[in-house]
Amino acid sequence: MVSKFLIVIVIIWVVQRIFFNTSKAGEGRSGNSGRGFGGFAGGTYEDFYRQRVVRNNFPTALMLLSAAIMKADGKVVKSELDYVKSFFKQQFGQASGQYILELKDILKRQIPLQQACMDIRASMQPEVRLQLLHYLFGIAKADGHVSDPEVRLIAQIASYLGISQTDFNSIKAMFYKDPNTAYKILGVTENASDDEIKKAYRKLVVKYHPDKIQHLGAEFQAGAKDKFQKIQEAYETIKKERGIK
């Protein structure tokens, strides 16, 4: 059965195509050469993509942020593109083909990252923005290594999206392994008391529970469950080390 979310996405896509065709027909009269993102009317972020982001168009937000991370270390590698393609296919079904075509064009452009992030921040709930961050780390890790430029850019995006340093460090720790990973995931130090650890765990369980993003597609649900499991594993690791009951 086709999900309600996918039906909405398809409807949005049809409306976008109508808008595109109408705008294209008027280019000769206006003298617009179709420059910029995808040759859309006006050709700039403000003229087209920003309109979609501020209207809570989730695929557009994903395309802009995906492109930024894929270009972070100066090259776009196949493993990252394949990761994004797979994600979009699971998330949006048949509509994903059009989005991937747009993504490939965005990759050639200068992305107004701060403005895009500010628009996403204004139009999307905190739990969705947290899941976006997890997704971006997934892209960066697709080639087997999260590079320093990628980490710096994701940190910058997190700041623009209004995500706290503690939440950023927690999600980042899910993609790294070191002796303190469990504590970093829970957002506490090794010197934290048992009660502080229990409190931090309960807070994260509420914040990152998969039910909070039930309205998103299958791939985001899978990411949310993976993140939730890592929180559980981190807590169990600390409990075992400390003998917490």
Side-chain angles (χ1 to χ4, degrees), residues 1 19 28 41 43 46 60 65 87 93-94 113 173 176 179 204 219:
M1 182 179 294
F19 176 82
E46 287 75 12
T60 303
L65 296 184
F87 184 94
Q94 292 182 344
L113 189 60
Y176 289 83
L204 290 179
E219 283 298 285

Side-chain angles (χ1 to χ4, degrees), residues 32-40 42-45 49 105-106 109:
N32 191 302
S33 61
R35 65 190 181 282
F37 288 131
F40 290 104
T44 66
Y45 171 75
Y49 282 87
D105 189 68
I106 292 173
R109 314 296 178 179

